[in-house]
Amino acid sequence: MSKISLNNICKRYEENEDYSVKDFSIEINESEFIVFVGPSGCGKSTSLRMIAGLEDITSGELYIDGKLSNNVPPKDRNIAMVFQSYALYPHLTVYDNIAFGLKIRKLDKKTIDYKVKKTAEILNLTNYLKKKPKELSGGQMQRVALGRAIVKESDIFLMDEPLSNLDAKLRVEMRKEILNLKNKLGSTVIYVTHDQTEAMTMASRIVCLNNGIIQQIGTPRELYTNP
Ligand code: ADP
Ligand code: ADP
């Protein structure tokens, strides 16, 4: 059974005449690393946000773990999302930023503490737990954003250009970290990027979008070595 199945998904924002996503269909298997690529405005974020439940689906069916999920609220989807903008809470410490999603779930304090510290260890953030986001570098903030997603132990990660604000060196480092984490957790990842190198080095399959339509789906080898 595939983890995520999109069946002719379409999206038209109410105020727009045109569709932003047209007949998007794909079967995503467990532990795949799917990358969406394509020019700005082609529908990458919209597609991701529909899978997360942050945007209504105009027509078509979304299945997550075999369950029709079009109307399942985001918090019930077992999905963790990482945004380009980090989306950290500026007034909270690194510890509380990472703990936030667990507090909402009303886990007990001891369990939260264990999970937050374990996550910080994986991401080399142990020495920064008491700091606020404004005291961190871009790479550290990016790690906190990842930490907030990882700590929930969801088995699906959606990442919308999670490395676009980093410099080249850090981007390469973080790519490796994301792949390591993915392998460690065995998660399914859908990852949006503009960056062709990122797509080629990370993806199990790449989805090329243009104008809201899938142009091609294939492995990096299929797409970039046989023109
Ligand atoms: P990117 O190309 O990096 O995805 P965008 O500039 O397309 O960034 O989008 C940034 C944010 O603005 C997103 O949350 C998106 O949903 C929203 N957005 C994009 N286009 C429009 C629009 N025409 N009207 C309202 N919001 C939009
Ligand atoms: P990408 O992520 O590939 O840059 P988006 O999914 O952000 O593309 O946008 C796809 C299309 O949908 C664009 O034409 C954009 O203007 C439009 N769009 C995105 N978000 C909104 C929104 N919140 N309201 C209206 N139109 C939007």
Side-chain angles (χ1 to χ4, degrees):
M1 188 175 50
S2 56
K3 196 95 204 164
I4 305 172
S5 171
L6 281 74
N7 190 6
N8 289 101
I9 296 282
C10 298
K11 173 69 180 182
R12 188 175 66 78
Y13 289 97
E14 254 172 46
E15 64 271 39
N16 296 353
E17 219 168 279
D18 292 334
Y19 277 79
S20 294
V21 173
K22 296 161 213 156
D23 289 326
F24 195 134
S25 296
I26 186 173
E27 302 280 328
I28 298 173
N29 299 313
E30 225 153 291
S31 298
E32 269 205 272
F33 198 115
I34 297 286
V35 176
F36 293 171
V37 297
S40 189
C42 71
K44 304 183 293 296
S45 294
T46 299
S47 303
L48 208 64
R49 292 164 58 82
M50 286 191 283
I51 297 169
L54 302 174
E55 212 57 84
D56 287 337
I57 294 169
T58 306
S59 65
E61 296 92 41
L62 166 70
Y63 293 89
I64 300 174
D65 290 329
K67 180 182 171 209
L68 183 62
S69 300
N70 289 42
N71 298 316
V72 173
K75 69 173 174 44
D76 297 332
R77 289 193 189 205
N78 189 25
I79 282 176
M81 186 147 173
V82 183
F83 299 91
Q84 176 175 11
S85 55
Y86 314 133
L88 303 180
Y89 299 106
H91 58 291
L92 298 182
T93 62
V94 168
Y95 184 101
D96 287 332
N97 264 286
I98 296 176
F100 193 84
L102 302 179
K103 285 188 181 161
I104 282 181
R105 285 192 199 166
K106 304 219 161 39
L107 295 186
D108 67 87
K109 237 175 149 176
K110 226 170 140 185
T111 310
I112 292 178
D113 193 60
Y114 173 76
K115 285 176 189 281
V116 170
K117 285 179 177 158
K118 197 175 76 180
T119 301
E121 214 170 285
I122 293 173
L123 291 167
N124 284 325
L125 287 168
T126 305
N127 296 331
Y128 300 93
L129 286 171
K130 289 187 180 139
K131 297 209 184 287
K132 299 258 176 84
K134 67 172 189 304
E135 301 172 82
L136 305 177
S137 69
Q140 289 161 347
M141 282 195 268
Q142 194 71 73
R143 278 168 223 258
V144 180
L146 276 170
R148 283 185 27 181
I150 292 163
V151 79
K152 295 202 278 184
E153 293 169 346
S154 310
D155 45 18
I156 299 171
F157 283 93
L158 306 181
M159 303 191 178
D160 197 350
E161 304 200 36
L163 308 183
S164 57
N165 296 328
L166 306 182
D167 64 42
K169 181 163 170 277
L170 203 52
R171 212 169 335 169
V172 172
E173 239 170 68
M174 289 297 292
R175 271 184 216 152
K176 283 191 207 139
E177 281 187 35
I178 289 174
L179 282 177
N180 285 342
L181 270 168
K182 182 225 169 287
N183 291 333
K184 207 183 238 171
L185 302 173
S187 3
T188 305
V189 180
I190 308 179
Y191 189 101
V192 167
T193 183
H194 277 108
D195 184 332
Q196 190 169 317
T197 314
E198 219 159 85
M200 282 172 58
T201 52
M202 298 180 91
S204 58
R205 284 191 295 160
I206 298 172
V207 177
C208 303
L209 286 166
N210 197 8
N211 229 339
I213 297 171
I214 297 181
Q215 302 287 316
Q216 275 186 305
I217 302 182
T219 64
R221 249 181 113 153
E222 284 165 353
L223 293 187
Y224 293 117
T225 55
N226 310 308

